Every structure is written in structure tokens, then in C-alpha cells.
Amino acid sequence: MKVEIEGISKSFKQNVNFRISAIKSIDLQISEGEFLCILGPSGCGKSTLLNIIAGLEFPDTGQVKVDGKVVREAGPDRGVVFQDAALFPWLTVQENVEFSLKMMGMEKQKRKEIADKYIQMVHLTPFAHCYPHELSGGMKQRVALARTLAMDPTILLMDEPFSALDAQTRTMLHKELQEIWQKTGKAIIFITHNVEESLILADRIILMTARPGQIKRQFVVNHSRPRDLTNPKLIMLQRKIKFFLQEEIEKVAKEQSAYERTHTQVSVLSTAHNNMGTGL
Ligand SMILES: Nc1ncnc2c1ncn2[C@@H]1O[C@H](COP(=O)(O)OP(=O)(O)OP(=O)(O)O)[C@@H](O)[C@H]1O
């Protein structure tokens, strides 16, 4: 399955007079089975782009095609995993993974087989009858992944799925995700802030500019897996990506301080104006 992103732009209304441009003129293709990471400074429109691919947001201009078909809504061919696992707290692991299959009307035995397969793939078989409150953060994300995989999407859309986890759990999940990716052959689009994470996982890294997000650079990570970040070639690539990312982070910081300056001046002026006349 191939994903084609053609001339996507999206803005959001902030107030009656002002729209914010989140992403602008994005053209991108993702090949079948490719592992693509999207990297960029905070607020550059990464989630907006992912949500448009998922069919959860609609672009102002441009279109997304999946296997030649224009995306108009969310569909089972595109499974999304968010930063927050968002499990149903009153359902067990098994029931959470089976939930969407049940909603589709799949019979009990069939959905149990599918759930068992993916619960095993994420190494949670001993916890299949536990409730979410009995699981660690990493285990919850594994359930979210199994639940998405159970729908058998051809492309997985992952929005910073491991960013709230500790480093050790994250490393374990990187390994498991790569095994799942290799076993299933699904394409993955993975959003992250983290250069190291993108170097461990990606076939290709897309670096976005500060808002409005555009594609600044692309980096092909042509190294065998598992990757060792102490490899000198990967260290060089890491430095290069961090250099270009830093340029964008600085743009965000400048914009923020300009905004704060303007608002401090406005508030000082309005305080002065309100005080005019007191004591006369
Ligand atoms: N529904 C919305 N309504 C209004 N503004 C929005 C909406 N969604 C996103 N934005 C704005 O669009 C811009 C891009 O947001 P987005 O969440 O896509 O960025 P991001 O790169 O994923 O951010 P982060 O890395 O911090 O998660 C931000 O300025 C955000 O405030």
C-alpha cells in the first residue's frame, strides 16, 4: 500500500480575526512496508499531518491518497496509536483488544484467536485478563498497539506513542516494534521529537520546519538493524539532523519571545491607560 500526500496545507481558527497556519504545501510519498519517522520542533504540525492521513482532520488544500484512493474519512486500512493508550478501564486486556472486532460483528471464537495472536506478539499473554489499572505505562501502550494491529491495518500511524515512557521501557518497545514491523510488513509513520528514537527506528526521517510545518530535509537511514547509535556514521547523521532541527527550534523560541514582548507591552500600555486619571 502506497500513501501519497499531495500539496497538503491546513490552518486553524484561533479567534474571530486570526487563523494559524499549521502545515503548508506538504508533498510526500510513503512506500509499502516503509518505516518513516516525522521529526520536528514542538507545534510544527506533525500531529496535524498524521491526523489528516488518518482521516481525522481535513486539509484546506491538497489530498492524501492511499493506494490511489483519496482519503475522505478514517478507515480500517489506517490504524492510529496515540501517546495516551486510551484503553477502556472497565475491560480487560483481552476485551480491549477484541472491542473493535466485536463492534464489527465478528464472531467470538474468531476474535479471540485474533486477539490472542496480537496479545502474544506484544508479550502480554500472562496479563490478558488484567484490567488497565493493573498495567504499567509500557504495558498499556502494548495493549494499544495490539488493539490497533488486531484490525489488520496496512499502515500504522503512531503519534509519539512512547514519549511518556521511561527510557528503559522505551528501548524495549523500540525493539518490539521493529520485530512487529518486520513480522507484519506494515508501513509505519511514526511521529517523534526525539532524534535518537528516529535513528533507531526509521528507514527515512522527514524533518519539518517550525510552523507552518513544511518539509525541510529528508534523511535516508541506510543502516542494518538493530542499530548501534555509537556507530560513527550514525553519530555523524545524528549531528547533522540535530543541527538542522536546532535551527527550527531557535525559530520557535524567537517567535515565542517576540510574542511575549508584544503582549507584555500591550498589557503595560493598557494598565497605564486604565490608571490615567487616578488621583486627579
Ligand atoms: N484543533 C485545533 N484548533 C486550533 N489550533 C490547532 C488545532 N490543532 C492544532 N492546532 C495548532 O496547530 C499547530 C500545530 O499543532 P500540532 O499539534 O499539529 O503540532 P505538533 O508538531 O504535533 O506539536 P507537538 O510536537 O507539540 O505535539 C499548533 O500551533 C496548534 O496550536
Side-chain angles (χ1 to χ4, degrees), residues 10-14 20-23 40-51 57 83 159-160 191-193 208 211:
K10 173 79 183 171
S11 63
F12 293 102
K13 190 173 172 180
Q14 293 297 92
I20 204 169
S21 173
I23 52 174
S42 186
C44 75
K46 302 181 290 297
S47 299
T48 301
L49 178 60
L50 197 87
N51 289 340
E57 292 274 9
Q83 184 181 341
D159 194 352
E160 302 196 45
I191 302 280
T192 181
H193 282 104
M208 287 176 68
R211 191 173 53 74

Side-chain angles (χ1 to χ4, degrees), residues 59-243:
D60 300 337
T61 61
Q63 58 184 7
V64 176
K65 286 196 225 154
V66 176
D67 258 355
K69 229 178 109 202
V70 177
V71 167
R72 300 196 195 282
E73 57 188 355
D77 53 343
R78 285 152 287 133
V80 192
V81 181
F82 295 103
Q83 184 181 341
D84 176 1
L87 305 175
F88 295 121
W90 61 90
L91 298 181
T92 64
V93 167
Q94 180 89 27
E95 289 163 346
N96 263 288
V97 176
E98 282 186 30
F99 183 81
S100 299
L101 305 174
K102 192 174 174 181
M103 291 295 106
M104 283 163 52
M106 188 181 283
E107 55 105 2
K108 200 171 172 185
Q109 187 52 34
K110 179 81 186 141
R111 61 177 201 255
K112 181 175 175 341
E113 275 167 31
I114 294 176
D116 285 350
K117 173 178 162 188
Y118 290 108
I119 289 171
Q120 188 181 17
M121 202 178 272
V122 298
H123 308 294
L124 281 181
T125 306
F127 301 91
H129 299 292
C130 290
Y131 287 89
H133 75 270
E134 299 173 280
L135 307 175
S136 68
M139 289 157 100
K140 285 183 195 155
Q141 279 310 78
R142 288 196 183 97
V143 181
L145 184 55
R147 178 182 57 186
T148 305
L149 289 168
M151 297 297 290
D152 197 23
T154 13
I155 178 157
L156 270 179
L157 306 172
M158 306 186 80
D159 194 352
E160 302 196 45
F162 308 146
S163 61
L165 306 176
D166 62 88
Q168 214 179 336
T169 310
R170 202 161 49 226
T171 303
M172 241 154 64
L173 282 166
H174 286 158
K175 190 169 159 279
E176 288 174 22
L177 180 62
Q178 287 179 86
E179 283 165 8
I180 289 168
W181 170 67
Q182 278 162 342
K183 221 178 273 176
T184 60
K186 295 183 190 303
I188 299 183
I189 303 180
F190 188 106
I191 302 280
T192 181
H193 282 104
N194 187 309
V195 176
E196 286 78 7
E197 181 166 60
S198 68
L199 282 167
I200 296 269
L201 295 174
D203 289 326
R204 186 160 53 115
I205 299 170
I206 302 294
L207 176 62
M208 287 176 68
T209 64
R211 191 173 53 74
Q214 290 177 291
I215 295 179
K216 181 177 170 96
R217 298 247 163 181
Q218 301 197 28
F219 305 90
V220 173
V221 192
N222 210 354
H223 291 260
S224 59
R225 294 180 168 87
R227 297 201 177 128
D228 172 8
L229 291 186
T230 61
N231 173 316
K233 284 190 181 154
L234 280 175
I235 292 177
M236 291 282 287
L237 186 53
Q238 186 177 339
R239 281 197 191 137
K240 194 167 164 186
I241 297 174
K242 282 191 171 168
F243 171 81

